[in-house]
Amino acid sequence: MKQWLTELEQRHGLDRLTQRSRQCVIASFVILLLLVIYRGFLIQGDELDWRPIVAFVLPLVLFLPSIIGQRARGHAWLAFVSLLYVTQGVMLAAVPGQTWSGSLEALVSLLLFASCMAYARFRSRQQRQAGR
């Protein structure tokens, strides 16, 4: 795997890979955020209660400074937090009538995980090269 990533970096360039993985992080983050908010509204009854929505959205929103600041370590932590949403999506997919939204949440969360890990690797290598 390490050899494949090294060949990928040599073939496409570290700057391009960092930029592409960042774009993927931002896109999957926004989609996951919208899915979680949408699902929060779906589970509401007749009365609107913001607490469940805030509970689902807060772990993601806490990583906005890391995404905006382009910090590799924050992206690595976001990758691990996204695994909670994968689990939640898989569990939701097992509920009758929630198969599509749960599956979509799990897939977008996996995309966020992979893109965050890629960004953390490429960004940290990019910073190491700039420091030399």
Side-chain angles (χ1 to χ4, degrees), residues 33-97:
L33 196 61
L34 292 174
L35 280 172
V36 169
I37 291 170
Y38 174 71
R39 189 176 38 78
F41 281 116
L42 281 181
I43 64 172
Q44 297 293 319
D46 294 333
E47 298 178 22
L48 183 61
D49 187 11
W50 288 96
R51 288 178 295 192
I53 297 170
V54 170
F56 289 127
V57 170
L58 187 62
L60 289 174
V61 172
L62 290 176
F63 285 97
L64 272 175
S66 292
I67 291 174
I68 293 169
Q70 301 180 17
R71 293 190 291 257
R73 184 170 286 178
H75 281 75
W77 280 105
L78 176 59
F80 295 119
V81 169
S82 72
L83 293 176
L84 296 172
Y85 291 94
V86 172
T87 306
Q88 182 175 297
V90 169
M91 288 177 15
L92 195 63
V95 175

Side-chain angles (χ1 to χ4, degrees), residues 94-123:
V95 175
Q98 298 290 324
T99 304
W100 284 106
S101 66
S103 299
L104 188 59
E105 183 176 334
L107 288 173
V108 171
S109 300
L110 281 173
L111 178 63
L112 181 61
F113 172 79
S115 58
C116 279
M117 291 306 287
Y119 180 79
R121 176 190 168 87
F122 298 141
R123 180 70 175 152

